[in-house]
Amino acid sequence: MPKSLLITNIKILTGIDETGRRKVSGAEMKILQSIENAFLHIHEGKIFSYGKMEECPSLECDTYDASGRFVMPCWVDSHTHLVYAESREKEFVDRINGLSYVQIAERGGGILNSAKRLQQTSEDELFQTALIRLKEIVAGGTGDLEIKSGYGLTVNDELKMLRVIKRLQDENIIPIKSTFLGAHAIPKEYSDRKKYVDLLIYEMLPKIAEEKLAVFIDVFCDKGFFTVEETERILMAGKEYGLIPKIHANELDFSGGIQVGIKCNALSVDHLEFTGEEEINLLKNSETMPTLLPSTAFFLGLKYPPARKMIDAGLPVALASDYNPGSSPSGNMCLVLSLACIKMKMLPEEAINAATLNGAYALGMEKTHGSISKGKMGSVIITKKIPSLAFLPYSFGNSLVEEVIVEGGKMRNRKDT
Ligand code: NIG
Ligand code: FE
């Protein structure tokens, strides 16, 4: 890591925050503190100082001239299933031909299909393919990441997935947090669902805790998957082992997932396509981050979560990619921001707050990541030359990230333009 990096002539440095707040909620979400014609000095991986170019120190160190470019915190993608064995474009075509996501799952496709493939794939192969995906999303601006298990669904295969995540963490490309999602689907061979939940609680959890393979525990609490009662039992068991709940809720129905997530003090409840007044009011009285995954709603043709209502009610929201082979085969956070603006009527500033500080909160990383703050890690995106901040989500599908700096080093995508 270079000792110091000085980014100069920044058209606009944005996402600044010195209040120490842990998340951004409601009306504040549309405010992004910015400095025009700025510098940013990162020292030993951390943000040391920033300000107007007139105050820029003269330093003997690596410099980067960011004329015409915006600089902002890296995306914090707080919900992914990045480790998987195979893509599922056959199901994509089946859906074009009229089958629904649930119908495909009932015919042995979906999560169980991914589990079958993963069980047949070696740890090494899983690692190599996930590493390629990881490098791609980092080049797109993601500087912090969460990855879930959940395509193993046997003791050995869940452990295999979590060990792959551990190896990705050990590559030290970006910080990665690991989530145990053994409760992703009930394998076909369990006619007695309780037996699978018992396996998860009594056999998987102790081993995961012993090897310290996860910090979060997740359950797919939805129609056709895990019930509210099963979810509570699993989350409580996970908590006994020190795992923090963070769940899939209300993607397919008003599942009670938001309620049980809040009851179990989940750090986040994710998806939320089915969210009404009752859920919004409960979220308002909680510390749980509502996390929205618009690329999943886009890809599956679902209705979108009511982001506007949530923010107008004073809630924070986070945005994440849900990168997985079945419902969101993309970890492109710039596209997630575009969809948030186009389909959920979030303002560009709201989308950026949601994908940075609020994403960091959803990973328990808000003290060190998610904003331009002195002492936080120096993980930033340098855009290409763009006319305004709104241009970023407006210019959907185009790659406008020129450079990604992770903790002061590891420059990526460098092109001389
Ligand atoms: O977050 N909703 C549950 N799990 C994933 C989809 C998994 C799959 O289809 O493989 C999701 O959308
Ligand atoms: Fe997911």
Side-chain angles (χ1 to χ4, degrees):
M1 182 189 296
K3 232 176 154 26
S4 260
L5 171 67
L6 188 62
I7 308 174
T8 57
N9 299 313
I10 304 168
K11 178 170 171 154
I12 293 186
L13 174 67
T14 193
I16 297 168
D17 184 57
E18 292 301 343
T19 65
R21 63 187 170 175
R22 300 180 59 207
K23 58 186 177 197
V24 202
S25 308
E28 289 190 358
M29 282 194 72
K30 62 174 177 294
I31 302 163
L32 271 180
Q33 203 192 321
S34 307
I35 300 177
E36 251 177 82
N37 192 24
F39 78 91
L40 173 68
H41 175 202
I42 301 171
H43 182 64
E44 290 183 340
K46 293 186 179 160
I47 295 171
F48 187 78
S49 64
Y50 56 82
K52 290 287 245 182
M53 264 318 279
E54 297 92 87
E55 298 147 17
C56 183
S58 57
L59 296 168
E60 287 286 314
C61 68
D62 282 356
T63 57
Y64 189 104
D65 182 352
S67 302
R69 292 153 170 88
F70 282 61
V71 173
M72 63 185 76
C74 277
W75 313 131
V76 181
D77 190 351
S78 63
H79 180 139
T80 82
H81 310 248
L82 189 85
V83 176
Y84 57 84
E86 262 179 33
S87 55
R88 303 212 311 256
E89 63 274 21
K90 185 181 169 303
E91 295 175 14
F92 168 65
V93 176
D94 288 344
R95 279 206 321 284
I96 296 170
N97 283 320
L99 288 182
S100 71
Y101 181 74
V102 173
Q103 283 169 329
I104 290 168
E106 281 163 0
R107 292 170 193 211
I111 296 164
L112 295 184
N113 182 13
S114 278
K116 193 158 84 194
R117 305 281 168 239
L118 186 130
Q119 289 161 6
Q120 295 159 348
T121 307
S122 71
E123 185 179 312
D124 220 42
E125 203 176 326
L126 289 170
F127 170 72
Q128 294 303 341
T129 52
L131 185 60
I132 294 170
R133 288 178 208 122
L134 173 62
K135 288 182 176 166
E136 273 169 14
I137 61 173
V138 173
T142 296
D144 299 282
L145 185 67
E146 182 259 17
I147 311 178
K148 300 172 195 297
S149 70
Y151 291 132
L153 309 186
T154 69
V155 178
N156 285 341
D157 293 300
E158 280 297 304
L159 289 171
K160 179 168 81 179
M161 265 193 101
L162 290 166
R163 288 187 192 120
V164 171
I165 300 172
K166 175 86 174 56
R167 282 175 67 181
L168 295 170
Q169 289 169 330
D170 292 345
E171 287 292 300
N172 271 328
I173 297 172
I174 53 170
I176 299 173
K177 294 249 181 149
S178 174
T179 300
F180 170 49
L181 175 58
H184 201 186
I186 307 241
K188 275 267 173 300
E189 52 278 22
Y190 288 85
S191 48
D192 179 0
R193 331 172 33 99
K194 185 170 174 295
K195 285 221 167 87
Y196 183 66
V197 176
D198 284 348
L199 177 86
L200 207 147
I201 293 176
Y202 300 118
E203 298 199 36
M204 295 185 189
L205 266 176
K207 294 202 172 74
I208 289 161
E210 192 187 314
E211 280 190 53
K212 294 193 172 50
L213 287 173
V215 289
F216 300 118
I217 182 155
D218 195 342
V219 177
F220 187 9
C221 180
D222 227 316
K223 186 167 135 196
F225 290 85
F226 289 82
T227 65
V228 165
E229 293 73 28
E230 288 163 344
T231 303
E232 185 169 351
R233 207 180 141 217
I234 296 163
L235 295 184
M236 287 313 198
K239 283 173 90 159
E240 296 276 306
Y241 286 99
L243 302 186
I244 299 164
K246 203 173 144 54
I247 68 167
H248 285 71
N250 298 40
E251 175 185 2
L252 307 171
D253 204 352
F254 287 98
S255 65
I258 295 176
Q259 285 83 343
V260 71
I262 292 170
K263 185 173 175 198
C264 295
N265 270 324
L267 186 55
S268 71
V269 285
D270 303 19
H271 274 293
L272 315 189
E273 282 78 1
F274 289 81
T275 303
E277 296 296 323
E278 180 191 326
E279 286 81 5
I280 289 178
N281 285 332
L282 286 167
L283 283 162
K284 270 186 78 175
N285 293 312
S286 79
E287 291 298 309
T288 299
M289 177 62 70
T291 297
L292 314 182
L293 315 168
S295 51
T296 300
F298 171 68
F299 189 71
L300 295 184
L302 305 174
K303 65 173 180 176
Y304 285 81
R308 199 60 271 149
K309 272 197 184 145
M310 292 177 174
I311 297 171
D312 292 345
L315 283 177
V317 305
L319 287 169
S321 76
D322 198 17
Y323 195 174
N324 78 76
S327 68
S328 177
S330 162
N332 183 333
M333 285 294 285
C334 288
L335 183 62
V336 168
L337 267 79
S338 293
L339 291 171
C341 297
I342 298 162
K343 295 293 191 180
M344 302 197 297
K345 303 278 179 251
M346 285 174 68
L347 293 166
E349 293 81 0
E350 291 173 330
I352 290 173
N353 272 317
T356 54
L357 187 57
N358 286 355
Y361 178 94
L363 290 185
M365 300 177 83
E366 74 281 3
K367 288 205 179 101
T368 49
H369 293 82
S371 59
I372 303 293
S373 316
K374 285 177 197 147
K376 281 198 182 183
M377 299 313 293
S379 293
V380 297
I381 290 170
I382 304 175
T383 68
K384 291 184 181 163
K385 288 189 177 176
I386 53 173
S388 68
L389 194 73
F391 190 82
L392 205 62
Y394 153 89
S395 183
F396 79 93
N398 295 318
S399 171
L400 298 173
V401 173
E402 178 165 281
E403 201 80 74
V404 183
I405 312 285
V406 179
E407 300 186 352
K410 305 178 191 165
M411 288 201 196
R412 290 164 203 285
N413 287 359
R414 176 102 217 196
K415 280 187 206 96
D416 291 314
T417 48

